[in-house]
Amino acid sequence: MWARTAGAVAVATVLAACSQGGGAAKDPERSSSSTASVRPSGPSGPSGPSGPSAREQARERVESHRQQVLTKIATGAKTPDGEGLSVVGAYPQSTAFFWSTADGRYCIAIYDPSYHTVQCHESTKPFSRTPKLIRLYETDFGSPGGYVLLAAADRETIRTVTCGGAPVEFREIRVNGKADTQRTVYALEFEGWTAGVLKVRVARGDGVHATDLALATSDDEVPPDSDWHSCGAS
């Protein structure tokens, strides 16, 4: 199927600077947290004689996967900096992580007991002198049927994201720097492989602005009979 063989199936590491637009808006509640929430694979309940709850099992699985990844990258060029590993997503069988190396490169890992991969950028992603959204990684990250974009926001924070008018879930993964030198990394989740241009509202020092963030695959690259979702063109 075209959707699974196009170049966008590979992890996209292309930088995408967004065009900037004006226009203030009401500040909606920002969907974010320092790490992604752990998704239990079944209903959760209190622990008892039968053993730990599904939520506790999910948390233990994430920590087990974290230790497995840390063991594999304990030495060498992929070793994380002092911030350690941030959770991108926790799924029934796998966990996706994000981190920075000591020399400032970004890495991701997807781990489950039968399969794991670690990928790092070959170079650093310099901090922008002006407010900008930067696409870092784009793949399924082990999410069953899902599709995830990791994006960095320099000198601004994301307030809302839409794809073809529909809201897109996003989470704050980590924050580097402070004030005018702050970079916030977000995970944006889609229900399936997605192409086109996202509409984003971002908060800057002078108010809330509208801007675009292009995904790795453009809208006109998607055949009409594919199973990709389209956000439309800019």
Side-chain angles (χ1 to χ4, degrees):
M1 184 181 297
W2 181 92
R4 298 298 183 267
T5 59
V9 174
V11 176
T13 59
V14 180
L15 295 182
C18 298
S19 59
Q20 300 173 13
K26 261 179 126 175
D27 293 353
E29 181 179 355
R30 187 175 70 181
S31 170
S32 66
S33 60
S34 58
T35 58
S37 58
V38 175
R39 298 181 179 180
S41 56
S44 61
S47 298
S50 59
S53 69
R55 185 176 300 277
E56 290 169 336
Q57 290 176 342
R59 186 175 295 109
E60 291 172 359
R61 181 168 57 250
V62 167
E63 291 310 310
S64 173
H65 292 177
R66 185 194 304 274
Q67 293 306 314
Q68 293 289 340
V69 172
L70 287 172
T71 298
K72 295 179 182 301
I73 59 173
T75 59
K78 298 176 181 178
T79 302
D81 62 11
E83 296 293 323
L85 306 184
S86 297
V87 176
V88 174
Y91 309 107
Q93 301 299 325
S94 64
T95 309
F97 299 98
F98 170 85
W99 70 94
S100 299
T101 62
D103 60 359
R105 294 174 299 112
Y106 291 141
C107 302
I108 58 170
I110 303 169
Y111 183 90
D112 73 32
S114 61
Y115 170 82
H116 62 272
T117 182
V118 175
Q119 297 185 27
C120 294
H121 282 288
E122 294 182 357
S123 60
T124 60
K125 300 295 177 278
F127 186 79
S128 175
R129 296 181 178 181
T130 58
K132 181 188 291 187
L133 294 177
I134 302 170
R135 198 173 66 240
L136 298 178
Y137 288 101
E138 189 175 338
T139 184
D140 63 8
F141 278 94
S143 170
Y147 190 61
V148 180
L149 166 68
L150 280 186
D154 285 0
R155 302 179 186 271
E156 60 189 13
T157 54
I158 294 177
R159 293 301 182 89
T160 63
V161 183
T162 58
C163 168
V168 175
E169 177 186 344
F170 65 96
R171 297 186 304 277
E172 184 179 291
I173 300 302
R174 68 166 54 190
V175 178
N176 295 325
K178 296 180 180 179
D180 290 341
T181 59
Q182 179 172 295
R183 168 174 286 178
T184 307
V185 179
Y186 296 91
L188 287 68
E189 290 205 5
F190 307 89
E191 293 183 357
W193 296 87
T194 305
V197 178
L198 303 173
K199 301 298 182 181
V200 187
R201 297 194 72 80
V202 294
R204 301 172 186 157
D206 60 349
V208 178
H209 297 259
T211 188
D212 292 345
L213 178 59
L215 295 170
T217 303
S218 64
D219 185 64
D220 58 8
E221 292 180 279
V222 181
D225 59 346
S226 79
D227 59 353
W228 282 60
H229 298 285
S230 175
C231 298
S234 58

